[in-house]
Amino acid sequence: MQVSGETPAKPSYSRVLLKISGEALMGDQGYGLHPPTVQRIAAEVKSVHDMGVEICMVIGGGNIFRGLQGSAQGMERTTADYMGMLATVMNALAMQSALEELGVFTRVISAIPMDQVCEPYLRRRAVRHLEKKRVCIFAAGTGNPYFTTDTAATLRANEMACEAIFKGTKVDGVYDSDPMLNPDAKRYETVSYDDCLAKHLKVMDASAIALARDNDLPIIVFSLDEPGGFRGILAGQGTYTTVKD
C-alpha cells in the first residue's frame, strides 16, 4: 500500500505492447463483443496509462471470425485470413471507443488501409503517437495472410521499440500442462524461448516466439481476468511468467 506523500514506484517498463485474444472481449458469451468486458479491460489499460507507461495493443479477431477455422471448413485460406484481419479492426474500434470514454486518447492503426475508420500504418507516425502518450491499437495483423496476430504483435513491438510484450490470458502464466485440466500443472516463473518452442508450451505461435527471441524481447504472460493484474506487474507485484533467454 502506498503511504500518503510517498512517491509511486517507477514502472518496470516505460513502453509495452499488450496482446489479447479476441475471445477475451466476449466475456461469457460464445460470440461477439461483451461491452462490460471491453470496458473492464479498457479500465485496466487506463490504470497502466496513468502510470506514465506508453502502451500499444494488438487484439485478435477470434470472437468474430478466425481465418484458420474458416479455411478448415473449406474457405480459401487467403480470403479467410483477410476476413479475420477485418474482425481485428472491429475489435480495435470497440476498444478505442471504450478507452476514449475513459479519457484516454487512442489511435487505431490498420495494416490494411481504410482511411474512413482508422489510420494506415506508418511507423514514424505511430511512434509519435506513443511519445504523445496516446494508446496505439494495431489492427489487421501484418496485412498479410498466413500470419497470426501473435506474429503481428511481436513485429509491432519490435518496430515500436517496446521493452516487453504483455500477453493477457485466462491463466496467470505459462504451465507445463493445461492447468484447467491438470490440477498438478506446474507454473514457470521464467522459461526460455527455446523451451517454449521445444515443449510446445503454446505461449504464442512459433514465428512470434522466434521473432521475440531473435530480438531479445521478453514476453510476460499473465491473467487478464485478475483485477489490477496488468498494473500490478508493472509495479513489481503479481503472478506471471516471463519468457526470455
Side-chain angles (χ1 to χ4, degrees), residues 17 86 104 134 182 215:
L17 186 143
L86 295 177
V104 179
R134 297 165 181 157
N182 178 15
N215 292 278

Side-chain angles (χ1 to χ4, degrees), residues 140-160:
T142 66
N144 300 288
Y146 295 93
F147 290 93
T148 67
T149 50
D150 281 345
T151 301
T154 311
L155 173 64
R156 297 296 185 231
N158 280 305
E159 289 181 301
M160 295 299 105

Side-chain angles (χ1 to χ4, degrees), residues 21-23 61-71 80-81 83-84 87 149:
S21 67
E23 287 89 346
N63 57 319
I64 299 171
F65 187 87
R66 186 179 293 278
L68 197 57
Q69 290 178 354
S71 178
D81 279 356
M83 291 174 67
T149 50

Side-chain angles (χ1 to χ4, degrees), residues 74-227:
M75 186 176 291
E76 194 269 325
R77 173 66 187 270
T78 300
T79 298
D81 279 356
Y82 279 122
M83 291 174 67
M85 290 180 220
L86 295 177
T88 72
V89 177
M90 295 171 69
N91 285 337
L93 291 171
M95 183 58 64
Q96 178 187 43
S97 177
L99 283 166
E100 291 189 338
E101 283 182 9
L102 297 174
V104 179
F105 293 109
T106 307
R107 295 292 184 272
V108 173
I109 302 173
S110 172
I112 299 174
M114 47 186 81
D115 296 346
Q116 290 176 311
V117 295
C118 52
E119 294 185 10
Y121 176 70
L122 295 171
R123 187 184 68 84
R124 286 178 178 272
R125 182 187 291 176
V127 170
R128 187 65 178 140
H129 285 321
L130 291 173
E131 290 170 349
K132 290 182 176 180
K133 306 303 179 185
R134 297 165 181 157
V135 172
C136 289
I137 308 177
F138 296 111
T142 66
N144 300 288
Y146 295 93
F147 290 93
T148 67
T149 50
D150 281 345
T151 301
T154 311
L155 173 64
R156 297 296 185 231
N158 280 305
E159 289 181 301
M160 295 299 105
C162 292
E163 297 166 356
I165 295 175
F166 279 68
K167 176 72 181 287
T169 70
K170 291 186 177 296
V171 293
D172 58 356
V174 180
Y175 285 77
D176 60 359
S177 60
D178 189 341
M180 302 291 188
L181 302 175
N182 178 15
D184 297 321
K186 172 190 171 185
R187 186 180 62 81
Y188 297 96
E189 292 288 336
T190 62
V191 62
S192 71
Y193 304 109
D194 288 340
D195 279 348
C196 282
L197 293 170
K199 297 178 181 179
H200 304 286
L201 295 178
K202 298 181 180 179
V203 176
M204 287 179 154
D205 67 58
S207 297
I209 295 290
L211 185 58
R213 177 192 61 195
D214 293 347
N215 292 278
D216 197 25
L217 179 67
I219 302 167
I220 295 170
V221 183
F222 72 105
S223 173
L224 197 64
D225 294 334
E226 180 66 28

